[in-house]
Amino acid sequence: MLCFIVVSCNFLFSQNKQILYGFSDVPQSLLLNPAKQLDNDWYFGIPLLSHIHAKVGITGSTVYDIFADDNVNFNTKIRNAVDNMGSNDFYSVNQQLEIFSGGFSLGSSYEKDKYISFGLYQELDFIFYFPKDLAILALEGNQNNINRPFRTNQVRLAAEALSVWHVGYSKKLNDKLTVGLRGKIYSSLANVNSTKNKGRFVTVPGQSNFYDHIFDVDLEARTSGIANLDGDNVDPGREMIRRVFFGGNLGLGFDVGFTHKINKQWTFDGSLLDVGFIRHTKGIENHEIKGNYTFEGINPLFPNSGSGQSAEDYWNEIEENFEGLFEVDSTTTKYTTWRPVKLNTSLNYAFGKETFEECNCTQDEGQYLNRAGLQLFAMTRPNKPIMALTAYYYRRLFDNLQVKATYTVDSFSAYNIGLGMSANLGGLNFYVMADNFLQLENIYDTQSVSLQLGFNYIFKKKDED
Amino acid sequence: MQRQVSLYTLLTVVLFSSFFSCTKEVDFDQAEDLEISPVLETSLVFFDETVNSFLVNNLPVFIIEDAFDLDIFKNDFVVDNLIKAEFEFEGFNSIVRAFEIDVAFLDEADVELHSFTFTMQESTDGSDVPSGHIEVFENDKLTNLTSTTRITFALRMLPGTGVDQTTPGRLQLKSKAVFYLNIEG
């Protein structure tokens, strides 16, 4: 059972921002749930510095497993690393850079019940699954692997760079319910996509000869935005900037969310992010290798035995079979990719109001200082959805300083501890968040690290008192 | 208050950056020690024939020849990383005549770089007589192999008992090549 859970969670290519989710002191938390009411009149992100996010994740063997300076033979370590990895282990990178963002509240002067936010960010996603069978073939060859299929469906790779323009609107419907919607326009700078490969190569004992080599290969890689980058009149840098501004392959999507205040202390919220697609029509270059052939050797002395064909036909057939097998079919067929949909939901309990030192009593109208809760994150992948569960504790240390600690169980580890803080110095807001603190004692042995930080300028509502 | 917030912010940043800089000793130069040694096997030439295949107008043909072009050694990766090769032949003969196989390796100018011959002994009682040969290519012989662009095969029926359409038996041959690669980083 445990094995099953581990295996089924292994498709995780997480864009989980468990520390930022619900951290409403940071305006960028609106990108994780559009149905949050920010406690400010307006804000703007310091351009290019408002949200810097990077997440690197690997499952299976770590950099340290392979490159540790431990006097163990390097090739032994490579061998062990390959043995310890499965075809569902992967390397992944997810990076985001907010170029600009802003937001402001709307509504009557006594109750601002609407919030509009907008911005532009750039995102990079990369995932490469470990093709274990091909690694074994490269390490050992087929001699010791007769009858063992080398599955080419393990070759799975996806990479995308895109810019996202967005406008979000959140509205407090009543005291209990706030809803939000964010529209997005995607402009893909470049896309590489090879996730639906099939096939295998296997050597089996043959009838006519020692072996039959069975090739059954169906590999396809689709790319957009790369083939049109190396033209004579193209300056790649300028071209990329043009694509950020709607010049790439365009797509549409939305985020939707809600916040339900159950009572003074309990809230339940949820969001669905990046429900959308990108239509790839420009700079398309797709490559496909598809073939089926069983090679048993050649019979040059009696080429026509049995079949009655001429020697020339015999040779032509073998040649055609091999050429057909490894011939790369290039097309410019347009295609559509779906954005990975992300689901966030959380149940939160607020407690512990501020106490007054003079009377040792609590302030009735004051805000709760602590919050604890559970968050669930799920994300679609081509194979199966992935999940992460987080427990957190949030504390308002001062009016201007808030911290959050998280404990997350996901496919990278069962003990991922994250910490985040947000501080306001005058109007300037600074936040920084990172996770996997338990593993950070040796960063090379870490399977996943994520870091988010940024600066905003926040204009706070005047306090009534 | 402001000062406290500044202090905590600074502390957090220092804490974060110190965590991210924690490492144990690693040595990325080890990548240069990478050495992988795959061994690949592939089927080569085969046949399985009755005496009829050696008769034209009911008269024996004493030699059957053919050649084929070899592209694999035009690939630098193969040439640079091949450290040893073996050609292994396994035959069975239940015909009353012995056969001899000549294999010759030619370069682009059709110059013979290497050749070998092996015999498939005759069967006196109709049972399968096994034969085999392993040709190992190392050092200079390996260089000859990797310079080869064309291989010729000649199958000769050796003198002996007369044969015709009614002569029983089969001549079978299987063969494979074993390539030992050593790829260094």
Side-chain angles (χ1 to χ4, degrees), chain A residues 105-117:
Chain A
S105 56
L106 283 176
S108 57
S109 55
Y110 59 91
E111 196 192 17
K112 305 269 190 184
D113 58 355
K114 305 176 193 75
Y115 201 92
I116 289 179
S117 57

Side-chain angles (χ1 to χ4, degrees), chain A residues 14-20 51-58 92-95 406 408 410 412 416-420 432-437 439-440 443 446-453, chain B residues 16 19-20:
Chain A
S14 176
Q15 292 177 14
N16 192 8
K17 292 180 180 172
Q18 73 276 20
I19 313 165
L20 183 58
H51 188 62
I52 297 167
H53 161 80
K55 176 158 189 154
V56 177
I58 59 174
S92 69
V93 175
N94 174 231
Q95 168 271 332
T406 60
T408 301
D410 62 20
F412 297 107
N416 177 359
I417 288 186
L419 292 174
V432 59
M433 299 162 182
D435 71 359
N436 259 310
F437 273 86
Q439 292 186 2
L440 285 185
I443 196 158
T446 309
Q447 298 200 295
S448 117
V449 189
S450 81
L451 177 71
Q452 291 130 44
L453 61 91
Chain B
F16 273 42
F19 267 123
F20 274 96

Side-chain angles (χ1 to χ4, degrees), chain A residues 181-198:
Chain A
L181 181 69
R182 180 176 308 283
K184 288 178 164 175
I185 297 174
Y186 306 109
S187 181
S188 169
L189 314 185
N191 177 264
V192 177
N193 187 300
S194 179
T195 53
K196 289 177 181 154
N197 297 313
K198 298 188 199 81

Side-chain angles (χ1 to χ4, degrees), chain A residues 51-172:
Chain A
H51 188 62
I52 297 167
H53 161 80
K55 176 158 189 154
V56 177
I58 59 174
T59 63
S61 305
T62 64
V63 173
Y64 186 72
D65 289 339
I66 295 169
F67 289 102
D69 194 7
D70 55 4
N71 291 323
V72 177
N73 181 287
F74 182 67
N75 295 300
T76 308
K77 286 188 284 192
I78 288 275
R79 180 74 232 192
N80 292 341
V82 169
D83 286 343
N84 288 336
M85 287 180 78
S87 59
N88 286 332
D89 283 315
F90 60 83
Y91 310 88
S92 69
V93 175
N94 174 231
Q95 168 271 332
Q96 284 176 347
L97 177 70
E98 199 166 71
I99 295 164
F100 72 86
S101 73
F104 52 89
S105 56
L106 283 176
S108 57
S109 55
Y110 59 91
E111 196 192 17
K112 305 269 190 184
D113 58 355
K114 305 176 193 75
Y115 201 92
I116 289 179
S117 57
F118 54 87
L120 164 66
Y121 64 89
Q122 164 275 331
E123 180 168 339
L124 178 79
D125 295 318
F126 168 81
I127 186 164
F128 172 71
Y129 286 90
F130 179 66
K132 178 160 183 165
D133 284 0
L134 298 188
I136 297 280
L137 181 60
L139 281 180
E140 296 180 2
N142 65 344
Q143 185 185 53
N144 287 328
N145 292 296
I146 304 304
N147 287 323
R148 174 181 179 151
F150 295 102
R151 289 159 296 180
T152 47
N153 61 355
Q154 292 178 349
V155 178
R156 282 172 295 175
L157 159 80
E160 173 127 60
L162 73 162
S163 68
V164 183
W165 296 78
H166 59 90
V167 178
Y169 176 70
S170 107
K171 180 164 169 43
K172 196 169 171 183

Side-chain angles (χ1 to χ4, degrees), chain A residues 150-271:
Chain A
F150 295 102
R151 289 159 296 180
T152 47
N153 61 355
Q154 292 178 349
V155 178
R156 282 172 295 175
L157 159 80
E160 173 127 60
L162 73 162
S163 68
V164 183
W165 296 78
H166 59 90
V167 178
Y169 176 70
S170 107
K171 180 164 169 43
K172 196 169 171 183
L173 295 178
N174 53 46
D175 282 347
K176 299 233 176 260
L177 192 63
T178 302
V179 293
L181 181 69
R182 180 176 308 283
K184 288 178 164 175
I185 297 174
Y186 306 109
S187 181
S188 169
L189 314 185
N191 177 264
V192 177
N193 187 300
S194 179
T195 53
K196 289 177 181 154
N197 297 313
K198 298 188 199 81
R200 71 199 174 114
F201 161 68
V202 61
T203 299
V204 297
Q207 288 287 323
S208 313
N209 208 340
F210 281 106
Y211 300 123
D212 285 351
H213 305 284
I214 301 167
F215 297 88
D216 171 13
V217 183
D218 185 357
L219 300 172
E220 188 188 27
R222 301 184 296 185
T223 74
S224 81
I226 295 170
N228 55 353
L229 252 196
D230 53 359
D232 287 340
N233 303 319
V234 182
D235 170 358
R238 198 169 283 181
E239 173 64 14
M240 281 299 166
I241 290 169
R242 196 183 69 79
R243 289 179 190 178
V244 168
F245 291 90
F246 305 112
N249 285 298
L250 297 178
L252 285 174
F254 66 87
D255 302 347
V256 62
F258 74 93
T259 305
H260 179 224
K261 204 166 178 189
I262 300 165
N263 59 36
K264 275 190 172 175
Q265 288 183 282
W266 287 93
T267 53
F268 177 64
D269 59 30
S271 69

Side-chain angles (χ1 to χ4, degrees), chain A residues 67-69 75 77 138-140 142-143 209 211 213 297-300 398 421 437 440-443 449, chain B residues 1 9 12 19-20 22 24-27 30 33 35-36 38-46 49 66 175:
Chain A
F67 289 102
D69 194 7
N75 295 300
K77 286 188 284 192
L139 281 180
E140 296 180 2
N142 65 344
Q143 185 185 53
N209 208 340
Y211 300 123
H213 305 284
I298 50 172
N299 189 347
F398 307 106
M421 64 148 305
F437 273 86
L440 285 185
E441 71 181 76
N442 177 13
I443 196 158
V449 189
Chain B
M1 182 75 167
T9 306
T12 311
F19 267 123
F20 274 96
C22 284
K24 286 185 189 160
E25 283 290 296
V26 290
D27 176 12
Q30 290 177 90
D33 302 336
E35 195 179 323
I36 59 177
V39 183
L40 294 166
E41 294 204 2
T42 173
S43 281
L44 279 181
V45 171
F46 69 95
E49 302 294 326
D66 204 352
S175 66

Side-chain angles (χ1 to χ4, degrees), chain B residues 105-168:
Chain B
F105 298 78
L106 312 178
D107 67 9
E108 228 140 356
D110 267 349
V111 173
E112 186 178 302
L113 301 171
H114 180 67
S115 69
F116 60 88
T117 301
F118 63 93
T119 307
M120 302 169 82
Q121 292 299 342
E122 71 275 18
S123 174
T124 49
D125 55 3
S127 67
D128 275 330
V129 175
S131 55
H133 179 84
I134 298 177
E135 187 74 7
V136 180
F137 296 87
E138 281 178 298
N139 307 320
D140 287 352
K141 239 162 105 180
L142 186 69
T143 311
N144 287 336
L145 177 67
T146 54
S147 309
T148 297
T149 58
R150 194 170 170 78
I151 295 183
T152 64
F153 272 85
L155 175 63
R156 260 197 303 278
M157 191 192 283
L158 297 180
T161 317
V163 289
D164 61 27
Q165 280 170 333
T166 60
T167 309

